[in-house]
């Protein structure tokens, strides 16, 4: 009887062990990479497995507390020669945009500064992370419309705008480093990535009021454009 008992026990242990190993193997082979469930703040939006800030960045200090220099429109020559971080607000004459709405415009040197432009818990998205967002939203021809806010701040026709992703992109324009002039408020939204192409350009994404597409390409690192952070 005792021998019979030990035989049954051994079979059960062996069966459970094999089942456990099989389950783990299946999990390893078939599990789709997914972000662990984490709380989403009011200032964030989940898009696929990514969590993005719901607004453009609007900080004037690096993560370590050091100030980021503000470079004014009148200092066009300084914008052109800068190889260090700087920010500004879009402006035309006496008209200055509200950073609480559009965020600040940064050159890429601020993005790349080792002191950290993004707040703790976030980082500046890479080219690959932008491409992940675009792919999740159906590709470059339609993703622009899915991140554009339905807002009078966009000039008509605001083609394809649904903001179905919750990204709520607003047309903050950009600062031209060659002249220190500002363009495209109401017409376009540009964002930096942390990916450098070469010594003078870096990857950025842009959307326009006349298209549902999102375009990708390089931009002079001295230009001032928006930044949107992604969660670590």
């Amino acid at each position: 009887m005792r021998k019979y008992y030990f035989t049954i026990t051994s079979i059960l242990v062996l069966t459970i062990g094999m089942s456990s190993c099989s389950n783990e193997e299946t999990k390893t082979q078939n599990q789709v990479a997914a972000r662990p469930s984490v709380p989403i703040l009011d200032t964030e939006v989940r898009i696929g497995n990514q969590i993005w800030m719901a607004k453009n960045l609007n900080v004037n200090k690096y993560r370590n507390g050091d100030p980021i220099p503000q470079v004014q429109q009148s200092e066009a020559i300084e914008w052109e020669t800068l190889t260090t971080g700087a920010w500004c607000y879009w402006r035309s004459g006496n008209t200055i945009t509200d950073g609480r709405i559009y965020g600040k415009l940064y050159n890429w040197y601020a993005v790349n500064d080792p002191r950290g432009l993004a707040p703790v818990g976030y980082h500046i998205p890479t080219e690959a992370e932008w491409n992940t967002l675009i792919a999740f939203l159906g590709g470059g021809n339609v993703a622009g419309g899915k991140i554009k806010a339905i807002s009078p701040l966009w000039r008509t026709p605001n083609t394809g705008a649904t903001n179905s992703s919750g990204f709520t992109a607003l047309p903050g324009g950009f600062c031209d480093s060659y002249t220190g002039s500002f363009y495209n408020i109401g017409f376009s939204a540009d964002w930096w990535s942390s990916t450098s192409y070469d010594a003078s350009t870096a990857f950025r994404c842009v959307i326009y009021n006349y298209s549902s597409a999102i375009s990708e390409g390089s931009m002079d690192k001295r230009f001032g454009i928006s930044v949107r952070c992604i969660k670590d």
Side-chain angles (χ1 to χ4, degrees):
M1 182 66 179
R2 182 176 300 175
K3 182 178 180 181
Y4 177 76
Y5 172 79
F6 284 133
T7 301
I8 295 297
T9 302
S10 300
I11 291 172
L12 286 173
V13 170
L14 180 61
T15 302
I16 292 170
M18 291 177 63
S19 175
S20 176
C21 290
S22 177
N23 288 341
E24 286 301 315
E25 183 179 2
T26 302
K27 181 178 179 182
T28 301
Q29 292 176 350
N30 299 331
Q31 186 179 38
V32 177
R35 186 182 187 94
S37 179
V38 296
I40 304 298
L41 305 178
D42 292 340
T43 54
E44 299 172 338
V45 57
R46 181 190 291 274
I47 306 174
N49 279 334
Q50 298 174 320
I51 299 175
W52 293 79
M53 281 188 172
K55 288 186 175 182
N56 292 339
L57 195 62
N58 187 37
V59 299
N60 59 11
K61 293 181 180 180
Y62 291 111
R63 186 182 294 186
N64 72 345
D66 290 347
I68 307 169
Q70 180 182 9
V71 181
Q72 306 289 351
Q73 180 188 26
S74 59
E75 298 164 336
I77 295 177
E78 187 175 353
W79 267 107
E80 187 175 0
T81 58
L82 274 175
T83 56
T84 55
W87 70 268
C88 63
Y89 290 123
W90 192 101
R91 67 180 296 165
S92 178
N94 294 323
T95 302
I96 304 175
T97 58
D98 188 339
R100 294 171 298 177
I101 297 174
Y102 294 101
K104 291 178 171 61
L105 303 178
Y106 301 90
N107 64 13
W108 190 81
Y109 300 107
V111 169
N112 193 50
D113 194 288
R115 290 170 287 183
L117 180 61
V120 173
Y122 299 89
H123 62 273
I124 312 302
T126 63
E127 176 182 2
E129 286 173 317
W130 275 110
N131 285 330
T132 296
L133 172 71
I134 292 168
F136 180 80
L137 295 177
N141 290 332
V142 297
K146 293 179 180 180
I147 67 173
K148 275 198 290 186
I150 302 173
S151 167
L153 296 175
W154 280 99
R155 297 290 187 93
T156 57
N158 199 14
T159 302
T162 65
N163 197 33
S164 60
S165 68
F167 191 90
T168 317
L170 294 173
F174 65 90
C175 175
D176 184 335
S177 65
Y178 300 118
T179 63
S181 298
F182 295 87
Y183 299 99
N184 279 18
I185 193 77
F187 293 95
S188 73
D190 298 72
W191 299 277
W192 284 122
S193 81
S194 61
T195 303
S196 175
Y197 273 167
D198 52 40
S200 60
T201 64
F203 176 88
R204 69 88 165 86
C205 286
V206 58
I207 58 175
Y208 297 98
N209 67 313
Y210 58 79
S211 173
S212 62
I214 184 167
S215 300
E216 306 170 79
S218 62
M219 177 169 270
D220 192 308
K221 293 177 178 179
R222 296 171 294 182
F223 273 48
I225 64 175
S226 300
V227 168
R228 186 68 72 97
C229 297
I230 188 171
K231 203 161 192 174
D232 294 343

